Amino acid sequence: MTFAGRRRQGGPEPGAALGRTHWVFSAGFAPSQSTGSEPEFTSRNTLCLLNTGDDDACLQLMIYYQDQEPVGPFEVTVPARWVLHQRINDLIDPQAVLLDAPYGMVLSSDLPVVAQLYYLDSRGGHLAVSHLNPLPLD
Amino acid sequence: MTFAGRRRQGGPEPGAALGRTHWVFSAGFAPSQSTGSEPEFTSRNTLCLLNTGDDDACLQLMIYYQDQEPVGPFEVTVPARWVLHQRINDLIDPQAVLLDAPYGMVLSSDLPVVAQLYYLDSRGGHLAVSHLNPLPLD
Amino acid sequence: MTFAGRRRQGGPEPGAALGRTHWVFSAGFAPSQSTGSEPEFTSRNTLCLLNTGDDDACLQLMIYYQDQEPVGPFEVTVPARWVLHQRINDLIDPQAVLLDAPYGMVLSSDLPVVAQLYYLDSRGGHLAVSHLNPLPLD
Amino acid sequence: MTFAGRRRQGGPEPGAALGRTHWVFSAGFAPSQSTGSEPEFTSRNTLCLLNTGDDDACLQLMIYYQDQEPVGPFEVTVPARWVLHQRINDLIDPQAVLLDAPYGMVLSSDLPVVAQLYYLDSRGGHLAVSHLNPLPLD
């Protein structure tokens, strides 16, 4: 099902890809330590992607670190009309993203997507959660 | 009481509907598990809506998932000059929003509203909270 | 001390009031319950205001509820070149802001300010914190 | 490695400095108390900076308080193509940033950067985390 039946005057076209093509954030930090049962309580940084369009979106991610050159591009595909909650720890090609290290990311997509960050930190023996919006560049 | 008495030069008209008509977010995830007393400590995703205008706002919500087609529209009305804190779990028509599943949402309103997200997660035996702004599209 | 000495090309004028004059948010909810020592662990919603300008900023706040008409204006002054972290619970004129109730706010200032929200919730026997940006209207 | 190989049509130039040159936030508050092992569980406010460009970025920070004149500028350099996660507590020249005190910040950079805030609060005997976007001024 696409946008049919819910379009409002001045609103997005049915099947339109909503959002932006370039996003960037600086506050990445994925702890290596966790407590509690896996995988739901595993400390993580999750890149939450939504592709509302009728075509798959191809993304390229560059990772920036505090004391070394950037690494990438990592490639991620978000299927048409789906969300994808991508754990940063699962990005391993061309190189696993470093844990316990400050990082930033530049995301470039061939089609507009919506990108948000979800943080879960269970190091302290319980759950701490946070959300963050990356900066849209276009 | 409306905006009378507080209007500033260049500010909104009394009774104006402030905000945007289209909002979108990608970071939805409503845990099915909770600890502590209900309903205040029930894990939830809450869509916080404000309609500052003098007319009711009619909203249509589309929900996007990670491995199935989108579902909707869900319909929500925000009365004139009121807020509405809508728990996502309470959206059941045309189909209950899935728990323990990544989701995204596109919100379309016939009048401008302000939309924000509130997350409460009590899975870990205590309270974790977060807030998130959806992306305005217009 | 004002901006003298740190101005960059294309940057703000020394003593300029930075930010916006109208802000709005929908996700207000101030729990009445707390645990731990007061006042640092008292559950709260705090409106964090910064006035970088050389003149005091006069703000008017309207509070919107889920099942009653809006209340206000509340008046707050942010002195020149100061921040003010205003606990919502301390807004009592013309009427104390309701606790345990969803609310929204429209903030109107005669001069640009920066407004952000800080949430602290100690109901669960420990500390949960969150931050949120209101929507700028101008 | 720079942006080579990942540039998309309409996207940023290789080696471009992405982001903004002026950022401001009002919700600063760095607790002096912590629990748990240091330094990972030390309560903190961290300014997360990303410089995607091929030249070092020089930043000047002004700190605003609730009951005294602003202090600064503090100077911070973000090396080319690196992130820098700067703990506010480590800003000591011209004067250590006050703990347990509300503060705001104006950040001025000679080149565009991305700035975000990370809050960790371990006062309550465990970990609470939050993220916040400063307001871009340009």
Side-chain angles (χ1 to χ4, degrees):
Chain A
M1 165 167 202
T2 61
F3 282 86
R6 65 170 200 82
R7 193 184 175 201
R8 295 295 177 80
Q9 197 172 17
E13 296 281 336
L18 305 177
R20 312 293 184 91
T21 58
H22 291 80
W23 297 89
V24 58
F25 65 90
S26 59
F29 183 87
S32 66
Q33 302 299 312
S34 299
T35 61
S37 56
E38 295 187 353
E40 66 269 39
F41 292 158
T42 305
S43 294
R44 79 194 70 155
N45 288 189
T46 300
L47 180 60
C48 303
L49 300 163
L50 170 59
N51 175 10
T52 62
D54 284 338
D55 296 298
D56 293 359
C58 299
L59 282 63
Q60 292 187 324
L61 315 177
M62 288 297 289
I63 303 281
Y64 292 78
Y65 291 113
Q66 191 150 327
D67 43 15
Q68 60 175 84
E69 289 296 291
V71 175
F74 298 83
E75 306 211 337
V76 173
T77 298
V78 188
R81 297 183 302 280
W82 282 20
V83 294
L84 177 66
H85 282 201
Q86 172 70 50
R87 291 195 186 197
I88 299 297
N89 317 22
D90 292 338
L91 296 173
I92 56 172
D93 180 16
Q95 183 189 90
V97 175
L98 297 179
L99 303 179
D100 298 322
Y103 74 91
M105 181 188 287
V106 176
L107 183 161
S108 305
S109 177
D110 62 350
L111 294 172
V113 293
V114 176
Q116 299 187 304
L117 269 290
Y118 171 64
Y119 287 79
L120 187 152
D121 188 334
S122 67
R123 286 179 294 172
H126 67 282
L127 219 52
V129 301
S130 183
H131 291 84
L132 181 65
N133 281 316
L135 180 71
L137 291 180
D138 49 343
Chain B
M1 168 168 200
T2 60
F3 281 86
R6 65 171 200 82
R7 192 184 176 200
R8 295 296 177 81
Q9 197 171 15
E13 296 281 336
L18 305 176
R20 312 294 185 92
T21 58
H22 292 80
W23 297 89
V24 58
F25 65 91
S26 61
F29 183 86
S32 65
Q33 302 298 311
S34 298
T35 62
S37 56
E38 296 187 353
E40 66 269 40
F41 292 158
T42 306
S43 293
R44 79 194 71 156
N45 288 188
T46 301
L47 181 59
C48 303
L49 300 162
L50 169 60
N51 175 10
T52 62
D54 284 338
D55 295 297
D56 294 359
C58 299
L59 282 64
Q60 292 186 324
L61 315 176
M62 288 296 290
I63 303 282
Y64 292 77
Y65 291 113
Q66 191 150 328
D67 44 15
Q68 60 175 83
E69 289 295 292
V71 175
F74 298 81
E75 305 210 338
V76 173
T77 298
V78 187
R81 298 183 301 279
W82 282 21
V83 294
L84 178 66
H85 282 201
Q86 172 71 49
R87 293 195 186 197
I88 298 297
N89 319 23
D90 292 338
L91 296 173
I92 55 172
D93 181 16
Q95 183 189 91
V97 175
L98 297 180
L99 302 180
D100 297 322
Y103 74 90
M105 181 188 288
V106 176
L107 182 162
S108 305
S109 177
D110 62 350
L111 295 171
V113 294
V114 176
Q116 300 186 305
L117 269 290
Y118 172 63
Y119 287 79
L120 187 153
D121 189 334
S122 67
R123 285 179 295 171
H126 66 281
L127 219 52
V129 300
S130 183
H131 291 85
L132 180 65
N133 280 317
L135 179 71
L137 291 180
D138 51 344
Chain C
M1 170 165 200
T2 60
F3 282 86
R6 64 173 200 81
R7 192 185 176 201
R8 296 296 176 83
Q9 197 172 17
E13 296 281 336
L18 305 177
R20 312 293 185 92
T21 58
H22 292 81
W23 297 89
V24 58
F25 65 90
S26 60
F29 183 87
S32 65
Q33 303 298 312
S34 298
T35 61
S37 57
E38 295 186 354
E40 67 268 40
F41 292 159
T42 306
S43 293
R44 79 196 69 154
N45 288 189
T46 300
L47 181 60
C48 302
L49 301 162
L50 170 59
N51 175 10
T52 61
D54 284 338
D55 296 297
D56 294 358
C58 299
L59 282 64
Q60 292 187 322
L61 316 176
M62 288 295 291
I63 303 280
Y64 292 77
Y65 291 113
Q66 189 150 327
D67 44 15
Q68 60 175 84
E69 289 295 293
V71 174
F74 298 82
E75 306 211 336
V76 174
T77 297
V78 187
R81 298 182 301 280
W82 282 20
V83 294
L84 177 67
H85 283 200
Q86 172 70 51
R87 292 196 186 196
I88 299 296
N89 318 24
D90 293 337
L91 296 173
I92 56 172
D93 181 15
Q95 183 189 90
V97 175
L98 297 179
L99 302 179
D100 298 322
Y103 74 91
M105 181 188 287
V106 177
L107 182 161
S108 305
S109 177
D110 62 350
L111 295 170
V113 293
V114 176
Q116 299 187 305
L117 269 290
Y118 171 63
Y119 287 79
L120 187 154
D121 188 334
S122 67
R123 286 179 294 172
H126 67 281
L127 220 50
V129 301
S130 183
H131 291 84
L132 180 65
N133 281 316
L135 179 72
L137 291 180
D138 49 343
Chain D
M1 169 166 199
T2 60
F3 281 86
R6 63 171 200 82
R7 193 184 175 201
R8 295 296 176 82
Q9 198 172 17
E13 296 281 337
L18 305 176
R20 313 292 185 93
T21 58
H22 292 80
W23 297 89
V24 58
F25 65 89
S26 60
F29 183 88
S32 66
Q33 303 298 312
S34 298
T35 62
S37 56
E38 295 187 352
E40 66 268 40
F41 293 158
T42 305
S43 293
R44 80 195 69 157
N45 289 189
T46 301
L47 181 60
C48 303
L49 300 162
L50 169 59
N51 175 10
T52 62
D54 284 339
D55 296 299
D56 293 359
C58 298
L59 282 64
Q60 292 187 321
L61 316 176
M62 288 295 291
I63 303 281
Y64 292 78
Y65 292 113
Q66 190 151 328
D67 44 15
Q68 60 176 85
E69 288 296 291
V71 175
F74 299 82
E75 306 211 338
V76 174
T77 298
V78 187
R81 297 183 302 279
W82 283 20
V83 294
L84 177 67
H85 283 200
Q86 172 70 51
R87 292 195 186 198
I88 299 297
N89 317 24
D90 292 338
L91 296 173
I92 56 172
D93 180 17
Q95 184 189 90
V97 175
L98 297 179
L99 302 179
D100 298 321
Y103 74 91
M105 181 188 287
V106 176
L107 182 162
S108 305
S109 177
D110 62 350
L111 294 171
V113 293
V114 176
Q116 301 187 303
L117 269 290
Y118 172 63
Y119 287 78
L120 187 152
D121 188 334
S122 66
R123 286 178 294 172
H126 67 283
L127 219 52
V129 301
S130 183
H131 291 85
L132 181 65
N133 281 317
L135 180 72
L137 290 180
D138 49 344

